[in-house]
Amino acid sequence: QVQLVESGGGLVQPGGSLRLSCAASGSIYSISRMAWYRQGPGKQRELVAGINSGGATGYADAVKGRFTISRDSAKNTVYLQMNGLKPDDTAVYYCQSRLRHTAWGPSYDYWGQGTQVTVSS
C-alpha cells in the first residue's frame, strides 16, 4: 500500500556531511508526521529527528545543532541533512511516516528499509 524509499547513506569521514532522503508513495491521503530513527551496532533503535505537518521539528540531544530535518509535502519526502558527523553517528538510519489512507480513517506508521551511514577515517 505504502512504500518508503530511503537514499543518501554511505561512508564519510569524521566531520563530513551527508543528506538522507525518504520518499513516501502509494495510497496516501495525508501525512501527519515524518521522522528519522537510527540503530547503531548493539544499540536499540532511537529517534533522531521528527517533523510534523505544520513544520514543527524536534531533535535528539545528540544531534542538535548538527542535523536538520526538512520536508517537501508536495513530494511526500523528508530529508535529513547531517553535518559534523562523528563515529558515534554510525548506524542504520530508518525513515518513519505516520499517515492516513482516507480522510476519516485511522493513522498508520510505516517504515523504510533503512540506509547505512558509516562515519570512519
Side-chain angles (χ1 to χ4, degrees), residues 20-84:
L20 305 183
S21 299
C22 172
S25 63
S27 178
I28 300 170
Y29 175 78
S30 65
I31 297 176
S32 59
R33 175 181 182 267
M34 299 188 82
W36 289 96
Y37 288 73
R38 68 184 180 186
Q39 186 166 15
K43 298 180 181 180
Q44 291 188 332
R45 189 173 297 190
E46 61 177 358
L47 176 65
V48 175
I51 184 167
N52 67 15
S53 57
T57 60
Y59 298 90
D61 288 343
V63 306
K64 281 181 181 176
R66 300 188 297 122
F67 291 10
T68 302
I69 189 171
S70 60
R71 67 187 287 179
D72 184 334
S73 297
K75 297 181 179 179
N76 289 335
T77 299
V78 65
Y79 306 96
L80 185 67
Q81 178 67 44
M82 305 185 293
N83 299 328

Side-chain angles (χ1 to χ4, degrees), residues 2 6 8-9 14-16 63 78 85 99:
V2 172
E6 299 133 334
V63 306
V78 65
L85 283 161
L99 58 90

Side-chain angles (χ1 to χ4, degrees), residues 10-16 18 66-67 82 84-91 93 116-121:
L11 173 65
V12 64
Q13 292 186 343
L18 283 175
R66 300 188 297 122
F67 291 10
M82 305 185 293
L85 283 161
K86 306 174 181 179
D88 282 349
D89 296 317
T90 295
Y93 283 71
Q116 177 70 46
V117 171
T118 302
V119 184
S120 175
S121 55

